[in-house]
Amino acid sequence: MNIEILKYILPPLIGAVIGLLTNYLAIKMLFRPFKPVFIFGLRLPFTPGVIPKEHEKLAEKIGNTVGDHLLTNDSLHELFRKESVRGKIYDALENMYGQFGILSSFITSDIKKMISGKVIEMMDKELPAVLEELDIRETVKIKVREFSLERLEEIILSVTRTQLAYITYFGGVLGFIIGCFQLFVYLI
C-alpha cells in the first residue's frame, strides 16, 4: 500500500478505533472493578467502578422509582379490581368449598355467592392496609442491595445492552469524524 494513501486513511481510522475503545472502556468502568484497586498503598482513581461504588444509592433510587411510579399501592389495588383477578378468587373459593367433604353439599349456590361476595368485599377493604404493610419500595431496595455486583451488572446489561452498544459505536463514528477533521486541518 502506498504511504501517501496511508496518511489519508490513518487519521480517521485511528480516530474511529480510539472512539470505540474509549467508549467501550468507559462502559466497562461503570461496572468494573468491583472493589478499589491499590498500588503502593494508593487507591487508583475510578476504582471501584461507578455502579459498585454507588450500589447502596442505586438500590435506594430503584426502590423509590418502583414504589413511587411502577408498583404503587393504588396500581396494585387496581389490578386486584380486575374482573379476571376476582374470577380467580371466586374459583379458589369454589375449590375451597369442595374440600369440606359431605358438608359442601349443604352449602347452596346462594350461600357460596354470598360468602364469595363478602370475602371479595373484605379483601377490597383491607387490601390497602396489606399493601401498605408490604412496602414495595423498601422490599425492592432490600432486594437490589442483596444482589451481588456481578448479578447487578448482569441485570443492568440485560436491559441496556443494545443502547450501550450504540454508545460504543457512536464513539467510533465520532472518532472517525474527528479523524477526518484532523486530516482536513492537516491538508490546509
Side-chain angles (χ1 to χ4, degrees):
M1 184 178 263
N2 189 335
I3 291 185
E4 194 64 32
I5 293 174
L6 273 179
K7 74 178 178 183
Y8 296 109
I9 294 174
L10 280 179
L13 193 60
I14 291 171
V17 169
I18 290 171
L20 277 168
L21 289 177
T22 55
N23 281 17
Y24 175 80
L25 183 61
I27 290 167
K28 281 293 180 197
M29 288 176 67
L30 287 172
F31 303 99
R32 305 290 176 124
F34 293 133
K35 297 183 184 313
V37 176
F38 293 91
I39 296 181
F40 305 116
L42 298 172
R43 185 176 67 86
L44 283 179
F46 311 113
T47 67
V50 174
I51 290 175
K53 187 176 184 179
E54 301 293 328
H55 190 179
E56 192 72 27
K57 288 180 185 174
L58 186 63
E60 181 89 16
K61 295 283 187 190
I62 291 172
N64 290 342
T65 300
V66 170
D68 293 343
H69 303 289
L70 300 176
L71 293 176
T72 65
N73 290 353
D74 289 341
S75 69
L76 291 172
H77 199 185
E78 241 354 271
L79 287 173
F80 170 76
R81 289 185 177 122
K82 288 175 75 174
E83 214 41 57
S84 60
V85 173
R86 294 198 177 207
K88 291 192 183 300
I89 294 169
Y90 280 116
D91 292 346
L93 289 169
E94 191 63 39
N95 287 336
M96 181 189 73
Y97 299 136
Q99 294 175 4
F100 291 149
I102 193 115
L103 291 175
S104 64
S105 61
F106 295 107
I107 305 174
T108 66
S109 61
D110 286 342
I111 293 173
K112 288 178 184 179
K113 192 173 182 178
M114 181 194 70
I115 292 172
S116 296
K118 288 293 181 186
V119 167
I120 291 288
E121 184 181 309
M122 180 206 57
M123 289 178 74
D124 202 24
K125 180 182 171 199
E126 298 300 324
L127 190 61
V130 170
L131 291 173
E132 197 64 44
E133 199 60 36
L134 289 176
D135 196 358
I136 300 294
R137 180 187 304 133
E138 192 59 33
T139 302
V140 171
K141 287 178 194 176
I142 291 167
K143 286 291 186 190
V144 173
R145 274 188 211 119
E146 290 174 353
F147 285 143
S148 69
L149 293 172
E150 291 87 352
R151 179 71 178 131
L152 188 58
E153 176 185 29
E154 182 183 307
I155 290 168
I156 292 171
L157 286 177
S158 74
V159 173
T160 62
R161 189 173 314 276
T162 302
Q163 292 76 16
L164 293 176
Y166 286 140
I167 291 170
T168 302
Y169 301 142
F170 181 71
V173 170
L174 194 57
F176 180 81
I177 291 169
I178 290 170
C180 288
F181 181 72
Q182 285 177 325
L183 178 62
F184 176 73
V185 169
Y186 171 74
L187 291 175
I188 43 177

PDB file of all heavy atoms in Angstrom, residues 1 10-11 34 78 85 93 138 154 156 160 166 186:
ATOM      1  N   MET A   1       0.854  -1.180   0.000  1.00  0.00           N
ATOM      2  CA  MET A   1       0.000   0.000   0.000  1.00  0.00           C
ATOM      3  C   MET A   1       0.899   1.241   0.000  1.00  0.00           C
ATOM      4  O   MET A   1       1.917   1.285   0.673  1.00  0.00           O
ATOM      5  CB  MET A   1      -0.920  -0.023   1.222  1.00  0.00           C
ATOM      6  CG  MET A   1      -1.898   1.118   1.235  1.00  0.00           C
ATOM      7  SD  MET A   1      -3.013   1.044   2.634  1.00  0.00           S
ATOM      8  CE  MET A   1      -4.405   0.270   1.857  1.00  0.00           C
ATOM      9  N   LEU A  10      -5.197   6.802   7.768  1.00  0.00           N
ATOM     10  CA  LEU A  10      -4.896   6.564   9.181  1.00  0.00           C
ATOM     11  C   LEU A  10      -5.602   7.501  10.163  1.00  0.00           C
ATOM     12  O   LEU A  10      -6.146   7.017  11.162  1.00  0.00           O
ATOM     13  CB  LEU A  10      -3.384   6.581   9.425  1.00  0.00           C
ATOM     14  CG  LEU A  10      -2.668   5.280   9.061  1.00  0.00           C
ATOM     15  CD1 LEU A  10      -1.174   5.404   9.322  1.00  0.00           C
ATOM     16  CD2 LEU A  10      -3.241   4.109   9.819  1.00  0.00           C
ATOM     17  N   PRO A  11      -5.609   8.818   9.965  1.00  0.00           N
ATOM     18  CA  PRO A  11      -6.264   9.668  10.978  1.00  0.00           C
ATOM     19  C   PRO A  11      -7.729   9.291  11.252  1.00  0.00           C
ATOM     20  O   PRO A  11      -8.105   9.103  12.412  1.00  0.00           O
ATOM     21  CB  PRO A  11      -6.122  11.084  10.421  1.00  0.00           C
ATOM     22  CG  PRO A  11      -4.898  11.020   9.568  1.00  0.00           C
ATOM     23  CD  PRO A  11      -4.917   9.643   8.954  1.00  0.00           C
ATOM     24  N   PHE A  34     -14.943  -4.225  40.715  1.00  0.00           N
ATOM     25  CA  PHE A  34     -15.944  -4.294  41.778  1.00  0.00           C
ATOM     26  C   PHE A  34     -15.419  -3.729  43.098  1.00  0.00           C
ATOM     27  O   PHE A  34     -16.195  -3.307  43.940  1.00  0.00           O
ATOM     28  CB  PHE A  34     -16.422  -5.727  41.992  1.00  0.00           C
ATOM     29  CG  PHE A  34     -17.201  -6.280  40.832  1.00  0.00           C
ATOM     30  CD1 PHE A  34     -16.929  -7.536  40.331  1.00  0.00           C
ATOM     31  CD2 PHE A  34     -18.220  -5.549  40.227  1.00  0.00           C
ATOM     32  CE1 PHE A  34     -17.658  -8.053  39.271  1.00  0.00           C
ATOM     33  CE2 PHE A  34     -18.947  -6.045  39.166  1.00  0.00           C
ATOM     34  CZ  PHE A  34     -18.666  -7.310  38.686  1.00  0.00           C
ATOM     35  N   GLU A  78     -55.739  -1.514  41.962  1.00  0.00           N
ATOM     36  CA  GLU A  78     -56.479  -1.516  40.693  1.00  0.00           C
ATOM     37  C   GLU A  78     -56.392  -2.879  40.034  1.00  0.00           C
ATOM     38  O   GLU A  78     -57.384  -3.372  39.477  1.00  0.00           O
ATOM     39  CB  GLU A  78     -55.878  -0.474  39.767  1.00  0.00           C
ATOM     40  CG  GLU A  78     -56.696   0.679  39.276  1.00  0.00           C
ATOM     41  CD  GLU A  78     -58.166   0.731  39.608  1.00  0.00           C
ATOM     42  OE1 GLU A  78     -58.962   0.188  38.835  1.00  0.00           O
ATOM     43  OE2 GLU A  78     -58.529   1.337  40.622  1.00  0.00           O
ATOM     44  N   VAL A  85     -58.936 -11.176  37.900  1.00  0.00           N
ATOM     45  CA  VAL A  85     -58.368 -11.493  39.224  1.00  0.00           C
ATOM     46  C   VAL A  85     -59.484 -11.924  40.169  1.00  0.00           C
ATOM     47  O   VAL A  85     -59.363 -12.917  40.883  1.00  0.00           O
ATOM     48  CB  VAL A  85     -57.587 -10.280  39.787  1.00  0.00           C
ATOM     49  CG1 VAL A  85     -57.152 -10.525  41.220  1.00  0.00           C
ATOM     50  CG2 VAL A  85     -56.391  -9.966  38.898  1.00  0.00           C
ATOM     51  N   LEU A  93     -62.194 -19.930  45.916  1.00  0.00           N
ATOM     52  CA  LEU A  93     -63.205 -20.159  46.960  1.00  0.00           C
ATOM     53  C   LEU A  93     -64.077 -21.362  46.605  1.00  0.00           C
ATOM     54  O   LEU A  93     -64.415 -22.171  47.480  1.00  0.00           O
ATOM     55  CB  LEU A  93     -64.067 -18.908  47.154  1.00  0.00           C
ATOM     56  CG  LEU A  93     -63.353 -17.723  47.815  1.00  0.00           C
ATOM     57  CD1 LEU A  93     -64.199 -16.467  47.727  1.00  0.00           C
ATOM     58  CD2 LEU A  93     -63.019 -18.042  49.265  1.00  0.00           C
ATOM     59  N   GLU A 138     -39.502  -0.446  49.913  1.00  0.00           N
ATOM     60  CA  GLU A 138     -38.449  -0.977  50.793  1.00  0.00           C
ATOM     61  C   GLU A 138     -38.047  -2.394  50.384  1.00  0.00           C
ATOM     62  O   GLU A 138     -36.869  -2.753  50.437  1.00  0.00           O
ATOM     63  CB  GLU A 138     -38.932  -0.949  52.249  1.00  0.00           C
ATOM     64  CG  GLU A 138     -37.846  -1.188  53.256  1.00  0.00           C
ATOM     65  CD  GLU A 138     -36.696  -0.171  53.191  1.00  0.00           C
ATOM     66  OE1 GLU A 138     -36.925   1.004  52.861  1.00  0.00           O
ATOM     67  OE2 GLU A 138     -35.545  -0.584  53.465  1.00  0.00           O
ATOM     68  N   GLU A 154     -25.196  -7.971  35.464  1.00  0.00           N
ATOM     69  CA  GLU A 154     -25.919  -8.826  34.517  1.00  0.00           C
ATOM     70  C   GLU A 154     -27.336  -8.288  34.248  1.00  0.00           C
ATOM     71  O   GLU A 154     -27.780  -8.215  33.102  1.00  0.00           O
ATOM     72  CB  GLU A 154     -25.995 -10.239  35.105  1.00  0.00           C
ATOM     73  CG  GLU A 154     -26.659 -11.274  34.260  1.00  0.00           C
ATOM     74  CD  GLU A 154     -26.720 -12.599  35.004  1.00  0.00           C
ATOM     75  OE1 GLU A 154     -25.671 -13.076  35.485  1.00  0.00           O
ATOM     76  OE2 GLU A 154     -27.833 -13.152  35.122  1.00  0.00           O
ATOM     77  N   ILE A 156     -28.502  -5.137  34.738  1.00  0.00           N
ATOM     78  CA  ILE A 156     -28.456  -3.841  34.058  1.00  0.00           C
ATOM     79  C   ILE A 156     -28.087  -4.026  32.592  1.00  0.00           C
ATOM     80  O   ILE A 156     -28.701  -3.424  31.699  1.00  0.00           O
ATOM     81  CB  ILE A 156     -27.479  -2.875  34.765  1.00  0.00           C
ATOM     82  CG1 ILE A 156     -28.030  -2.499  36.143  1.00  0.00           C
ATOM     83  CG2 ILE A 156     -27.243  -1.620  33.927  1.00  0.00           C
ATOM     84  CD1 ILE A 156     -27.065  -1.740  37.019  1.00  0.00           C
ATOM     85  N   THR A 160     -29.948  -2.897  29.092  1.00  0.00           N
ATOM     86  CA  THR A 160     -29.354  -1.777  28.344  1.00  0.00           C
ATOM     87  C   THR A 160     -28.299  -2.189  27.324  1.00  0.00           C
ATOM     88  O   THR A 160     -27.665  -1.310  26.726  1.00  0.00           O
ATOM     89  CB  THR A 160     -28.697  -0.791  29.326  1.00  0.00           C
ATOM     90  OG1 THR A 160     -27.645  -1.474  30.033  1.00  0.00           O
ATOM     91  CG2 THR A 160     -29.694  -0.206  30.303  1.00  0.00           C
ATOM     92  N   TYR A 166     -24.803   0.893  21.090  1.00  0.00           N
ATOM     93  CA  TYR A 166     -24.934   2.090  20.250  1.00  0.00           C
ATOM     94  C   TYR A 166     -23.981   3.184  20.717  1.00  0.00           C
ATOM     95  O   TYR A 166     -23.383   3.896  19.899  1.00  0.00           O
ATOM     96  CB  TYR A 166     -26.366   2.626  20.260  1.00  0.00           C
ATOM     97  CG  TYR A 166     -27.340   1.804  19.453  1.00  0.00           C
ATOM     98  CD1 TYR A 166     -28.621   1.566  19.929  1.00  0.00           C
ATOM     99  CD2 TYR A 166     -26.998   1.264  18.224  1.00  0.00           C
ATOM    100  CE1 TYR A 166     -29.530   0.805  19.199  1.00  0.00           C
ATOM    101  CE2 TYR A 166     -27.899   0.508  17.484  1.00  0.00           C
ATOM    102  CZ  TYR A 166     -29.155   0.287  17.980  1.00  0.00           C
ATOM    103  OH  TYR A 166     -30.044  -0.456  17.255  1.00  0.00           O
ATOM    104  N   TYR A 186      -4.951  19.179   8.578  1.00  0.00           N
ATOM    105  CA  TYR A 186      -3.581  18.868   8.148  1.00  0.00           C
ATOM    106  C   TYR A 186      -3.378  19.262   6.676  1.00  0.00           C
ATOM    107  O   TYR A 186      -2.319  19.758   6.303  1.00  0.00           O
ATOM    108  CB  TYR A 186      -3.320  17.379   8.352  1.00  0.00           C
ATOM    109  CG  TYR A 186      -2.046  16.884   7.752  1.00  0.00           C
ATOM    110  CD1 TYR A 186      -0.810  17.176   8.345  1.00  0.00           C
ATOM    111  CD2 TYR A 186      -2.048  16.130   6.586  1.00  0.00           C
ATOM    112  CE1 TYR A 186       0.372  16.728   7.782  1.00  0.00           C
ATOM    113  CE2 TYR A 186      -0.879  15.674   6.017  1.00  0.00           C
ATOM    114  CZ  TYR A 186       0.333  15.983   6.620  1.00  0.00           C
ATOM    115  OH  TYR A 186       1.492  15.537   6.071  1.00  0.00           O
TER     116      TYR A 186
END
